[in-house]
């Protein structure tokens, strides 16, 4: 591939989760990647799933790359509140109208919301069909399009039903980020810096050096940041596809963050913003757990500074209390038989799976609020 284009191969083991697929990354990769997008659509039929914001911007560009296919599209309303069974059913209705067979390909064109619901539908149509991810947000490029987690929400909670279902290819074209609102870009950088924070101190330092250029979407450095993030995720899901151990580290900041999303009724804060504040809370918790280890003010301060430099908040914009947030954390589906699993760290690049007392969690929240 050319100098600007990268390829990361994801390889997951396991009887039910075995898969190998490329993630193409870079400016113009949708058009220039080899093998071409069309070659990953095995049968003649292709259904592109997108939303009412992204489709007017990029649907025609995508369809033009598939001249030899029978093309259809299904455009869902924008917003996390639509990542539900009713909208998944619209995808099934579109597939039924096509009389889609087992060799149909679904293409998800959008952010994580579209990627998750399209993957969910692909995992179920005729017990599982081909699907391709074309992520259009930074968050989807570095996180949700890779690793095979698919889901929709129920009234009872986020992502409660879903399956592990891997795409056959991911095309992360940084040109599609041109139209992404600044706040969404920042939210994506929360997941990027997370990879450095959990197990890659060099990457964290590289981000500290390049944050200003990255915020201007400079294509070479942006592609490199995405490549390193995807490589990091690929390494982890390759060793632990079903999140039985190491993959849990990717939830750094997430149990704290999910509590904030719930406190804000899923409208008060973006996922990436909640993760940023959640990572800070995890750092404050870690400082209590390891007073004698490497978690000194410097690590927390560096995290705080990088979060600020990426335009991310350090506390929620709405009123909430530590006790309320602790109660929400206990509802999180990642708590195992009542025991809250947390991801503390021993400093930048040294996260691990652990737990803490209610008092320690409350003190961590108090340091944030
Ligand atoms: N499967 C996983 O492993 C995983 C991991 C993390 C998050 N997620 C899921 O991802 C979702 C969040 O993803 P997200 O942050 O991408 O949100 P999103 O998909 O809701 O997109 C955010 C907003 O940006 C708009 N948008 C997308 N691309 C655009 C573009 N190029 N130009 C202009 N506007 C654009 C969207 O229409 C939307 O309004 C949540 O549902 C979350 O649960 C899944």
């Amino acid at each position: 591939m050319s100098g600007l284009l990268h390829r990361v191969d994801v390889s997951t083991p396991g009887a039910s989760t075995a898969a190998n697929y490329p993630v193409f990354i870079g400016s113009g990769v949708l058009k220039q990647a080899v093998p071409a997008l069309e070659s990953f659509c095995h049968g003649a039929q292709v259904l592109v799933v997108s939303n009412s914001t992204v489709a007017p911007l990029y649907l025609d560009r995508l369809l033009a790359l598939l001249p030899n296919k029978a093309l259809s599209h299904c455009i869902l309303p924008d917003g996390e509140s639509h990542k539900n069974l009713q909208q998944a059913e619209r995808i099934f209705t579109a597939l039924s109208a096509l009389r889609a067979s087992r060799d149909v390909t679904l293409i998800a064109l959008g952010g994580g919301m579209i990627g998750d619901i399209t993957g969910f539908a692909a995992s179920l149509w005729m017990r599982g069909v081909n699907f391709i991810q074309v992520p259009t947000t930074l968050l989807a490029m570095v996180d949700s399009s890779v690793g095979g987690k698919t889901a929709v929400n129920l009234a009872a909670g986020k992502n409660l039903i879903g399956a592990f279902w891997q795409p056959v290819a991911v095309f992360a074209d940084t040109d599609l980020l041109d139209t992404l609102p600044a706040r969404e870009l920042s939210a994506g950088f929360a997941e990027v810096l997370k990879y450095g924070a959990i197990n890659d101190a060099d990457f964290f330092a590289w981000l500290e050096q390049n944050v200003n250029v990255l915020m201007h979407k400079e294509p070479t450095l942006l592609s490199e940041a995405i490549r390193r993030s995807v490589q990091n995720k690929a390494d982890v899901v390759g060793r632990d596809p079903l999140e039985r151990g190491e993959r849990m580290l990717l939830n750094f900041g997430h149990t704290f963050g999910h509590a904030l999303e719930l406190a804000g009724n899923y409208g008060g804060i973006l996922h990436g913003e909640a993760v940023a504040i959640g990572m800070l809370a995890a750092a404050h918790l870690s400082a209590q757990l390891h007073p004698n280890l490497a978690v000194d003010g410097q690590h927390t301060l560096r995290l705080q500074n990088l979060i600020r430099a990426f335009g991310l908040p350090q506390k929620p914009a709405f009123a909430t209390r530590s006790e309320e947030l602790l109660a929400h954390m206990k509802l999180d589906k990642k708590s195992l038989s009542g025991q809250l699993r947390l991801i503390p760290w021993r400093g930048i690049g040294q996260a691990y799976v652990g737990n803490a007392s209610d008092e320690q969690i409350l003190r961590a929240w108090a340091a944030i609020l």
Side-chain angles (χ1 to χ4, degrees):
M1 310 209 68
S2 85
L4 262 185
L5 306 184
H6 301 288
R7 173 181 172 143
V8 173
D9 285 287
V10 183
S11 181
T12 50
S16 61
T17 52
N20 292 289
Y21 53 95
V23 182
F24 299 106
I25 300 157
S27 165
V29 88
L30 203 47
K31 208 169 171 180
Q32 292 167 35
V34 181
L37 174 70
E38 199 172 55
S39 67
F40 290 94
C41 305
H42 299 155
Q45 294 171 308
V46 174
L47 178 73
V48 180
V49 181
S50 190
N51 75 17
S52 51
T53 303
V54 176
L57 297 169
Y58 300 116
L59 181 63
D60 288 347
R61 201 189 288 191
L62 181 70
L63 296 180
L65 298 170
L66 303 164
N68 303 306
K69 300 292 170 185
L71 301 171
S72 307
H73 53 264
C74 176
I75 309 303
L76 306 182
D78 192 358
E80 182 67 22
S81 63
H82 299 290
K83 198 176 96 176
N84 57 28
L85 279 173
Q86 289 72 35
Q87 296 303 325
E89 192 173 0
R90 287 189 51 198
I91 303 176
F92 297 133
T93 304
L95 288 163
S96 307
L98 287 177
R99 307 180 72 82
S101 55
R102 294 196 66 181
D103 62 0
V104 66
T105 296
L106 270 64
I107 301 183
L109 174 69
M113 180 272 177
I114 288 295
D116 277 14
I117 196 170
T118 307
F120 175 77
S123 77
L124 290 172
W125 182 255
M126 301 208 169
R127 302 194 183 86
V129 294
N130 212 22
F131 105 102
I132 296 171
Q133 292 266 19
V134 182
T136 63
T137 63
L138 179 60
L139 183 135
M141 290 184 185
V142 299
D143 190 4
S144 58
S145 66
V146 176
K149 279 191 186 177
T150 75
V152 295
N153 305 327
L154 293 181
K158 268 193 75 167
N159 297 328
L160 284 184
I161 39 177
F164 283 98
W165 190 250
Q166 307 285 346
V168 291
V170 181
F171 290 78
D173 191 329
T174 54
D175 292 356
L176 306 193
L177 299 178
D178 286 349
T179 51
L180 190 69
R183 191 175 166 198
E184 296 288 349
L185 184 77
S186 291
F189 277 123
E191 298 286 359
V192 171
L193 77 87
K194 177 193 76 178
Y195 294 110
I198 57 179
N199 63 11
D200 193 345
D202 287 347
F203 184 40
F204 195 94
W206 183 87
L207 290 169
E208 288 176 319
Q209 279 161 19
N210 294 301
V211 53
N212 294 331
V213 189
L214 288 167
M215 286 292 278
H216 285 98
K217 306 186 201 174
E218 194 285 314
T220 311
L221 287 190
L222 187 56
S223 299
E224 177 61 7
I226 296 169
R227 183 194 69 77
R228 287 180 79 157
S229 301
V230 169
Q231 185 67 61
N232 213 303
K233 182 154 187 184
D235 290 347
V236 173
V237 301
R239 290 188 289 261
D240 179 20
L242 295 176
E243 199 173 311
R244 299 269 156 76
E246 187 186 358
R247 187 167 180 173
M248 287 184 224
L249 297 181
L250 299 178
N251 297 323
F252 183 58
H254 281 60
T255 305
F256 287 100
H258 288 159
L260 284 169
E261 289 183 85
L262 188 52
N265 290 319
Y266 294 107
I269 191 164
L270 297 180
H271 176 72
E273 295 171 340
V275 168
I277 299 170
M279 290 190 287
L280 262 183
H284 286 302
L285 176 76
S286 306
Q288 298 173 57
L289 298 175
H290 304 290
N292 301 320
L293 284 174
V295 180
D296 49 71
Q298 217 197 335
H299 290 265
T300 309
L301 194 63
R302 281 177 66 193
L303 179 65
Q304 204 166 3
N305 287 341
L306 194 52
I307 283 172
R308 188 188 303 118
F310 275 126
L312 288 157
Q314 292 167 68
K315 55 160 67 183
F318 51 84
T320 178
R321 292 179 313 111
S322 305
E323 291 75 13
E324 179 196 10
L325 294 169
L326 175 63
H328 289 338
M329 287 169 81
K330 291 187 168 178
L331 284 178
D332 194 274
K333 74 176 185 309
K334 292 185 176 72
S335 67
L336 193 63
S337 38
Q339 173 72 55
L340 204 51
R341 276 181 313 192
L342 294 165
I343 313 297
W345 70 0
R346 295 187 177 84
I348 290 163
Q350 299 174 65
Y352 65 95
V353 182
N355 42 51
S357 69
D358 287 1
E359 291 68 33
Q360 288 167 323
I361 295 170
L362 287 171
R363 274 201 293 274
W365 277 125
I368 296 286
L369 303 173

